[in-house]
Amino acid sequence: MAFHPQDDGAPPPLRRRPPPPCVLLLRHPPHFALLDRPLPDGFRFLKPWESPLPLDGFLSSPDARPAEAILTSGGAPVTADMLRRLPGVRLVVTTSAGLNHIDLAECRRRGIAIASAGDVYSDEVADLAVGMLIDVLRKVSAGDRYVRRGLWSSEGDFALGSKLGGKRVGVVGLGRIGLQVAKRVEAFGCTVSYNSRKKKPYVSYPFYSDVRELATNCDALIICCGLNEQTHHMIDREVLLALGKEGVIVNIGRGSIIDEKEMVQLLVQGELGGAGLDVFENEPNVPEELLALDNVVLSPHTAVFTTESLSDLCDLVVGNLEAFFSDKPLLSPVLDE
């Protein structure tokens, strides 16, 4: 005879829900703040700036121990020491396209997955790169200042510019962003060549393994590569002199890829034709000499900042966190090469 437990009227025991995953924020995500968008539900966010302890002390405190993931950006480094203090971390999500702020070797050694911004920024950054190149060549910003200062009526016609079509453009770093830059300048009638860590078998553009040789054969260089030990000051005095007195350099990568002091000196001396710069070596500090040069266009590291890209990025960040903690593939993984 089957046994049937008696129904004594007591409610069934409640199942305890597992605690939400803990995500360490190294700073408040500016992308969410700029869109006035709340952080996603379903996670417990650890916010060191709310602690009375300095960051170093917070990372060593019990409050940080539950961290299973880190959400960071280009201005907040993820170091080997930090990861040693947080043994539970299994994921690093960055809102940056660049990875120079993350100790990749330590992450690989610990088996920590990494998710980046992926393709989210590519169109916006490529648009700004080409816009800055046009601005320098056609003197758009300089002409704007000329008109605003009342010089058109008092000084007469403005200086001649130069067209983009027909220029030889070298792309340094033919990755996601570099490819979009190449497509855009090609549509303007430019010829494209490139330098990368290795030749890309799927493109027909001429490849130069030596960036100085690339500069020698170009009218403009657009810097699209990431910053690492190999690319730090890769654009040195020799490369800039090879680009020449009519040459233009545009940097939407990282400021330290160019030897900034040498670039400033050559621009002031007229040994370099012009520059479009969205990034600098010591942001937000910009060399004072650049402020007085009409052949230089400056931007405050805003290549990625459009409403559309920030909204897409917030979706990507949330999607990566949800995927990882649901044992699904990351949406924008950083893979070992």
Side-chain angles (χ1 to χ4, degrees), residues 137 165 309:
L137 291 172
S309 70

Side-chain angles (χ1 to χ4, degrees), residues 184-243:
R184 283 158 171 75
V185 295
E186 198 173 25
F188 278 94
C190 298
T191 58
V192 177
S193 52
Y194 73 100
N195 165 268
S196 276
R197 284 173 292 182
K198 53 189 176 182
K199 188 175 182 179
K200 310 288 184 181
Y202 49 83
V203 299
S204 58
Y205 307 131
F207 169 70
Y208 290 86
S209 59
D210 182 82
V211 71
R212 182 180 180 279
E213 187 180 356
L214 175 69
T216 301
N217 290 279
C218 286
D219 304 302
L221 284 184
I222 301 181
I223 311 302
C224 303
C225 61
L227 176 63
N228 52 48
E229 290 181 0
Q230 289 72 41
T231 62
H232 181 267
H233 282 190
M234 176 174 65
I235 308 301
D236 57 16
R237 183 179 181 86
E238 288 190 359
V239 173
L240 295 169
L241 286 172
L243 189 56

Side-chain angles (χ1 to χ4, degrees), residues 70 83 114 146 167 255 257 274 291 304:
I70 297 174
L83 295 174
I114 303 172
Y146 193 78
K167 292 291 188 293
I257 296 170
L291 305 181
V304 304

